[in-house]
């Protein structure tokens, strides 16, 4: 039940009910249940474990009332800017542009963390919370209990909790699939395999681990640790990421098992959020290895499953330059296989990535257009194509212009892939 407390200095709303589904809107919709503290100058949101999850300033120094700071379960702060709304949705498929505090391949955006108000909130939210708490007296018991609990979650404790999370899943997630944007990257990571098959030369997110699959008992251990970790806030989740770089290469039975068990153990049936999502990466090899039976069963398991495959290029010279040990013929065959899977299975969407950037061989874009335009007679609703800028830390108007040209020519939903970690 929602409990509200109002004083001269703040308003506190416990168990505030946000949206029940992720929607793509040009104003912020905060999903799930949370606690809100509002003063004249700031709004703070806390999850059901009393951990800070969002904040924004209310004064003149805050750029736009629709912009927010968000703290992910990995303890990264992300600044969501409107980007002036010019072209952000067309480029990313979302109305808000995530600005990150670590190097990535974003071609849009600025440096909001350099702004004094954003800096103040990221670094002083806990002091602000402590001051609010110490200035309130005669509090109703639920409000008092909330403040006591949230004060136990200091920045140091939140950093330690994030490190614990990484230890449960065998290391930090260096990159999430682009499709995770559909749940605003609010997902529970479960590692079903480690490493990848190709170790491509160009890749900035790979690890040195040879590909290995987790066992059923390792999955069970992770599930129970994750259940305890996310604790009361599990009800605000409805999505799982099956990591890491080639989850699809894991044993097919283990994948089915992981999806079923996570649905049951995380209690997604009782989630505050509608729907249920599974995200993973695959590769040309793992997708080609999957049987029709595997996809038939996957389609029937709970949730929409998104599988993202890095194709990178349909041009041999480009593949060689990238150090991707595949042939252009394999890429083309896989692209056609992707369309076949997307046609046949309504609860599965396989999406693909191609690289985008300066200095690529001249056949890269024409060979890509042969796939994303010439193989289709009509516009397709599924099978999103993501263009992944090769350069990190280099926003570029010229590249954005080229992306827009490719997007117009493509017969698939086509967006930029902004690399985000967890
Ligand atoms: S692009 Fe994918 S397959 Fe290649 S090294 Fe990176 S993670 Fe591995």
């Amino acid at each position: 039940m929602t409990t509200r407390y109002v004083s001269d200095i703040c308003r506190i709303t416990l168990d505030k009910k946000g949206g029940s589904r992720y929607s793509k809107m040009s104003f912020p919709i905060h999903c799930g249940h949370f606690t809100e503290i509002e003063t004249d100058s700031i709004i703070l949101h806390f999850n059901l474990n009393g951990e800070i999850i969002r904040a924004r300033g209310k004064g003149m120094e805050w750029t736009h009332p629709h912009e927010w700071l968000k703290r992910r379960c990995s303890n990264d702060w992300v600044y969501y800017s409107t980007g002036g709304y010019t072209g952000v949705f067309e480029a990313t498929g979302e109305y808000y542009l995530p600005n990150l505090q670590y190097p990535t391949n974003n071609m849009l955006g600025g440096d909001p963390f350099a702004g004094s108000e954003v800096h103040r909130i990221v670094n002083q939210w806990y002091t602000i919370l402590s001051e609010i708490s110490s200035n309130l007296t005669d509090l109703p018991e639920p409000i008092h209990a909330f403040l006591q609990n949230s004060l136990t979650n200091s920045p140091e404790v939140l950093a330690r909790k994030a490190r614990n999370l990484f230890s449960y899943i065998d290391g930090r997630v260096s990159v999430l699939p682009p499709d995770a944007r559909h749940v605003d990257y609010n997902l529970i990571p479960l590692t079903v395999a480690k490493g990848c098959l190709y170790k491509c030369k160009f890749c900035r997110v790979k690890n040195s681990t040879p590909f290995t699959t987790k066992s059923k008992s390792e999955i069970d251990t992770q599930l129970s640790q994750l259940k305890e970790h996310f604790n009361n806030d599990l009800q605000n989740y409805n999505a799982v990421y099956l990591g890491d770089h080639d989850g699809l290469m894991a044993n097919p039975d283990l994948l089915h098992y992981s999806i079923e068990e996570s649905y049951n153990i995380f209690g997604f049936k009782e989630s505050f959020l509608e729907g249920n999502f599974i995200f993973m990466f695959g590769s040309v090899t793992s997708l080609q290895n999957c049987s029709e039976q595997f996809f038939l069963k996957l389609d029937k398991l709970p949730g929409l499953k998104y599988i993202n495959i890095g194709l990178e290029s349909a041009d041999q010279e480009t593949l060689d330059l990238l150090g991707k040990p595949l042939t252009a013929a394999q890429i083309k065959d896989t692209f056609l296989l992707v369309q076949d899977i997307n046609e046949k299975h309504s609860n599965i969407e396989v999406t693909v990535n191609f690289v985008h950037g300066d200095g690529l061989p001249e056949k890269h874009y024409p060979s890509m257009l042969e796939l994303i335009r010439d193989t289709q007679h009509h516009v397709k609703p599924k099978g999103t194509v993501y263009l992944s800028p090769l350069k990190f830390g280099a926003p570029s108007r010229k590249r954005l212009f080229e992306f827009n040209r490719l997007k117009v020519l493509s017969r698939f939903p086509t967006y930029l892939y902004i690399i985000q970690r967890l």
Side-chain angles (χ1 to χ4, degrees), residues 331-349:
I331 300 295
K332 285 171 196 160
D333 287 350
T334 305
F335 186 84
L336 298 177
L337 175 62
V338 165
Q339 308 323 319
D340 190 48
I341 296 164
N342 284 338
E343 286 278 327
K344 285 184 181 153
H345 304 288
S346 55
N347 292 314
I348 301 172
E349 178 171 354

Side-chain angles (χ1 to χ4, degrees), residues 196-206 245 283 312 324:
C196 65
L197 302 175
Y198 309 140
K199 309 291 182 211
C200 317
K201 200 169 70 191
F202 79 99
C203 176
R204 299 275 297 264
V205 294
K206 64 179 175 273
H245 298 310
S283 65
E312 323 311 353
K324 185 126 194 149

